[in-house]
Amino acid sequence: MNYKQSKILLLFSVLTLVSCNLSQNVVAKPPQQQDLQKTSSVLASQPNTSNSATLLTYKIETYDSHVMGASRTYGVSLPPGYEQNPKQSYPVIFLLHGGHGNPTDWFNQNKGQALKTVEKLYTKGKLPPSIIITPDGNDKRGSSPYRDPEYIDGPNGKVSTAVGDELVKVVQSRYRTLNNPDFWAIGGLSSGGWGAINVGLHNLDRFSILFSHSGYFHDKSGPMNSPISYIKTIPLQAHKKLRIYLDSGISDVEEIDEARNFSKVLNKLKVYNLFRQFPGSHTWQYWREHLSDSLTFVGEQFRVAEIAHRTEKLGINQNKNTQNN
């Protein structure tokens, strides 16, 4: 599926979501633009590009992990206007690091430069203001240049549960989040790309938007943690809610084959997905450049979810008014 086709499919998805919600109440009048404007927005408005979008910062926080039996860290960047809008809740994006990595990698100026990318997306209106979280994906063995982190519940710790369930609860308790899975995304690079898809599929009540840069989808631990196999076992209803983005560099021969084959499986299962390939290889330069592509995809899905939410809410209100008349 190329990008032009995906944009057309996205527009069709929006129209389908709207029409499906309206068809449930044939008595109600079709929603007009002014009706939607009266319905409260779920997502925060775009920041003022003249001053807010350039104020992004991040910090490292600590929490006690009962799952891992130790203190854990994560990085967090709050959206512009977070402190000034105490009644506003926000979508959440988890960014997972790769091998011998840590929670600062995506924010590091020599590596991910994620804040710079997010600032540009906010300014261009391609990503709604969001809470960005970078978890510690390492297991009990710690970080190592000789092995990848295990984003699984395995002998070296229940990392999948620690990231996909326990940390989600910590984030929900500490920040103002939109808790519907439609407003939660998880993605990563390399082994973190595999980890994001794996953790996401094992926590479908937490995340519905998954994305991977240069990831793989077979894991040595077996089919339970190999997304290309495991996704065939999840309920059909869950397939309809998933939105998955994949990309890889053309020079990344093994990873691009993995992504292409996984996309074919997703297409057979009718799971909405976008697979893209770009010039480049397994480098931070590639991941820095294409983080904007995955986050633009995430932003589009947040907008689709908002339209569905507002349309559903409008339909409920119209139904109540019809019953009261």
Side-chain angles (χ1 to χ4, degrees), residues 45-54 80 123:
S45 59
Q46 290 300 137
N48 186 319
T49 57
S50 64
N51 51 36
S52 298
T54 59
T123 300

Side-chain angles (χ1 to χ4, degrees), residues 38-59:
K38 294 176 182 178
T39 307
S40 59
S41 297
V42 177
L43 302 176
S45 59
Q46 290 300 137
N48 186 319
T49 57
S50 64
N51 51 36
S52 298
T54 59
L55 299 178
L56 290 184
T57 60
Y58 82 91
K59 58 182 178 178

Side-chain angles (χ1 to χ4, degrees), residues 17-308:
L17 283 168
V18 173
S19 62
C20 287
N21 279 284
L22 290 175
S23 65
Q24 295 175 2
N25 183 14
V26 295
V27 179
K29 296 179 181 179
Q32 302 298 318
Q33 182 63 33
Q34 57 267 32
D35 294 329
L36 285 175
Q37 290 174 349
K38 294 176 182 178
T39 307
S40 59
S41 297
V42 177
L43 302 176
S45 59
Q46 290 300 137
N48 186 319
T49 57
S50 64
N51 51 36
S52 298
T54 59
L55 299 178
L56 290 184
T57 60
Y58 82 91
K59 58 182 178 178
I60 299 298
E61 297 285 9
T62 303
Y63 71 101
D64 292 326
S65 171
H66 297 291
V67 172
M68 297 297 290
S71 177
R72 302 278 283 184
T73 61
Y74 66 90
V76 56
S77 177
L78 298 176
Y82 183 87
E83 299 297 338
Q84 292 75 25
N85 298 282
K87 294 184 179 180
Q88 178 67 54
S89 296
Y90 296 87
V92 180
I93 303 170
F94 276 26
L95 285 174
L96 304 188
H97 62 76
H100 50 274
N102 62 69
T104 64
D105 283 0
W106 273 112
F107 294 131
N108 194 309
Q109 281 297 105
N110 296 322
K111 293 183 178 180
Q113 300 180 12
L115 291 188
K116 186 182 297 184
T117 299
V118 172
E119 287 170 358
K120 290 180 180 178
L121 294 177
Y122 286 165
T123 300
K124 294 178 180 179
K126 293 186 176 182
L127 180 68
S130 305
I131 297 170
I132 312 294
I133 302 291
T134 57
D136 180 357
N138 292 301
D139 53 47
K140 291 182 178 180
R141 300 170 300 170
S143 178
S144 169
Y146 305 107
R147 59 176 179 266
D148 284 344
E150 293 184 333
Y151 286 100
I152 66 173
D153 285 353
N156 296 307
K158 295 184 177 181
V159 178
S160 179
T161 297
V163 173
D165 181 64
E166 185 180 52
L167 182 56
V168 169
K169 293 175 181 176
V170 170
V171 171
Q172 289 174 338
S173 69
R174 294 184 176 183
Y175 310 102
R176 300 191 307 274
T177 65
L178 293 169
N179 292 338
N180 188 311
D182 290 344
F183 297 103
W184 283 68
I186 184 170
L189 63 92
S190 189
S191 56
W194 154 69
I197 305 297
N198 191 50
V199 171
L201 292 180
H202 282 85
N203 293 276
L204 293 172
D205 58 335
R206 304 298 190 188
F207 303 93
S208 68
I209 305 168
L210 320 178
F211 59 98
S212 168
H213 298 282
S214 311
Y216 51 89
F217 307 100
H218 289 91
D219 185 65
K220 61 184 179 181
S221 62
M224 187 69 178
N225 295 298
S226 297
I228 198 166
S229 301
Y230 181 72
I231 196 168
K232 299 174 185 177
T233 70
I234 69 175
L236 181 61
Q237 193 63 30
H239 290 177
K240 299 177 182 179
K241 297 180 180 181
L242 281 170
R243 302 289 184 267
I244 299 178
Y245 172 95
L246 312 168
D247 76 35
S248 190
I250 294 174
S251 299
D252 231 348
V253 179
E254 292 184 8
E255 282 75 8
I256 203 168
D257 284 343
E258 290 255 353
R260 183 182 294 111
N261 291 335
F262 185 45
S263 180
K264 290 179 181 178
V265 170
L266 295 175
N267 289 336
K268 288 182 180 179
L269 296 174
K270 298 182 179 179
V271 174
Y272 179 76
N273 73 99
L274 174 60
F275 164 57
R276 303 184 69 185
Q277 48 189 323
F278 302 100
S281 58
H282 214 75
T283 65
W284 272 111
Q285 180 180 351
Y286 176 87
W287 300 319
R288 280 197 303 270
E289 183 177 351
H290 296 292
L291 177 62
S292 61
D293 295 295
S294 61
L295 292 187
T296 295
F297 175 87
V298 170
E300 290 172 346
Q301 305 316 310
F302 286 163
R303 295 298 187 194
V304 169
E306 180 185 42
I307 291 173

